[in-house]
């Protein structure tokens, strides 16, 4: 009986498989750092030019280099159902049939559920701001006990050490619906971060 001596299997050296992100890295950095796009929007852009990899790999790599602005320290707080909402406005320019058209986005976010109401107006006057509240209350089927604002001119006409002077039309609307308006300190956007986040979604994904 002839025995064959088996040779140990020779180790094979394999080059690491290149990442599917590799050809798109310069474009991804540009979309994130220069245009401020979210990972979801970046995925849409690079899929259009041939990327067929996963979203999770893209998201993790973007997290490794995305520039984060310095944030003002603040306490995170949550509120009970029906207790609080936050309101803000943001201006945009949309391409419509008549050409480039300025619009204003009214946003109300309920603190507990994060339910978000958004409506676009052509003008950001006090009448439209009050109308935005009415439409939001009707859509929600109720009114929160208090609503946070920055000191937008449609809400606050004057600021003093001992309080503020509300716009008369806004004040009558608040009294009619029975909610308490709370104006935040000037420039303190972190105090109503719940309503700032939907604007990032509108700007990056809408």
């Amino acid at each position: 009986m002839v025995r064959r001596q088996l040779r140990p299997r020779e180790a094979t050296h394999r080059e690491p498989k290149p990442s599917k992100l590799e050809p798109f890295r310069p474009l991804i950095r540009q979309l994130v750092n220069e245009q401020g796009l979210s990972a979801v929007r970046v995925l849409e852009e690079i899929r259009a030019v041939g990327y067929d990899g996963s979203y999770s790999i893209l998201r993790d790599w973007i997290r490794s280099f995305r520039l984060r602005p310095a944030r003002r320290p603040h306490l995170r707080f949550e509120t009970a159902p029906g207790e609080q909402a936050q309101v803000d406005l943001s201006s945009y320019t949309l391409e419509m049939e008549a050409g480039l058209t300025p619009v204003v986005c009214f946003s109300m976010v309920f603190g507990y559920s994060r339910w978000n109401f958004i409506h676009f107006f052509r003008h950001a006057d006090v009448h439209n701001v009050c109308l935005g509240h009415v439409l939001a209350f009707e859509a929600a089927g109720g009114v929160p006990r208090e609503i946070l604002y920055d000191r937008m001119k449609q809400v606050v006409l004057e600021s003093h050490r001992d309080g503020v002077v509300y716009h008369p039309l806004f004040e009558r609307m608040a009294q009619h619906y029975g909610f308490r308006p709370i104006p935040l300190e000037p420039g303190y956007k972190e105090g109503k971060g719940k309503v700032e986040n939907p604007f990032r979604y509108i700007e990056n994904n809408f």
Side-chain angles (χ1 to χ4, degrees), residues 114-160:
R114 302 302 198 271
W115 178 85
N116 183 209
F117 176 85
I118 286 174
H119 192 89
F120 288 90
F121 293 103
R122 289 291 301 275
H123 306 287
D125 56 31
V126 65
H127 297 277
N128 282 334
V129 169
C130 289
L131 176 58
H133 284 75
V134 174
L135 296 175
F137 297 155
E138 290 178 351
V143 180
R145 292 185 179 87
E146 60 186 30
I147 302 180
L148 273 59
Y149 305 86
D150 60 22
R151 304 206 174 191
M152 61 179 76
K153 62 183 180 181
Q154 301 90 340
V155 173
V156 175
L157 291 182
E158 299 177 13
S159 297
H160 304 283

Side-chain angles (χ1 to χ4, degrees), residues 35-194:
Q35 299 186 31
L37 296 191
S38 66
V40 173
R41 282 287 292 112
V42 171
L43 181 65
E44 293 174 357
E45 294 292 331
I46 63 177
R47 282 232 192 279
V49 292
Y51 176 71
D52 61 355
S54 71
Y55 169 71
S56 59
I57 295 174
L58 171 67
R59 178 200 59 207
D60 292 344
W61 187 64
I62 288 176
R63 285 176 177 172
S64 72
F65 70 84
R66 183 190 290 276
L67 301 176
R68 296 287 183 182
R71 293 183 62 85
R72 183 174 170 177
H74 66 286
L75 292 175
R76 182 179 179 87
F77 64 93
E78 297 296 339
T79 54
E83 183 67 27
Q84 187 183 93
Q86 302 176 4
V87 163
D88 204 359
L89 305 174
S90 187
S91 300
Y92 301 100
T93 300
L94 302 182
E95 186 171 348
M96 305 175 74
E97 291 184 359
L100 294 178
T101 304
V103 298
V104 176
C105 180
F106 171 95
S107 175
M108 179 183 292
V109 177
F110 280 22
Y112 178 79
S113 64
R114 302 302 198 271
W115 178 85
N116 183 209
F117 176 85
I118 286 174
H119 192 89
F120 288 90
F121 293 103
R122 289 291 301 275
H123 306 287
D125 56 31
V126 65
H127 297 277
N128 282 334
V129 169
C130 289
L131 176 58
H133 284 75
V134 174
L135 296 175
F137 297 155
E138 290 178 351
V143 180
R145 292 185 179 87
E146 60 186 30
I147 302 180
L148 273 59
Y149 305 86
D150 60 22
R151 304 206 174 191
M152 61 179 76
K153 62 183 180 181
Q154 301 90 340
V155 173
V156 175
L157 291 182
E158 299 177 13
S159 297
H160 304 283
R161 287 186 177 180
D162 59 346
V164 301
V165 176
Y166 292 110
H167 192 291
L169 182 60
F170 170 83
E171 188 170 33
R172 289 198 298 272
M173 186 268 297
Q175 291 172 351
H176 173 78
Y177 283 97
F179 68 88
R180 182 167 68 100
I182 301 179
L184 297 172
E185 291 299 320
Y188 189 42
K189 289 188 175 182
E190 291 86 350
K192 54 180 181 59
K194 297 182 183 73

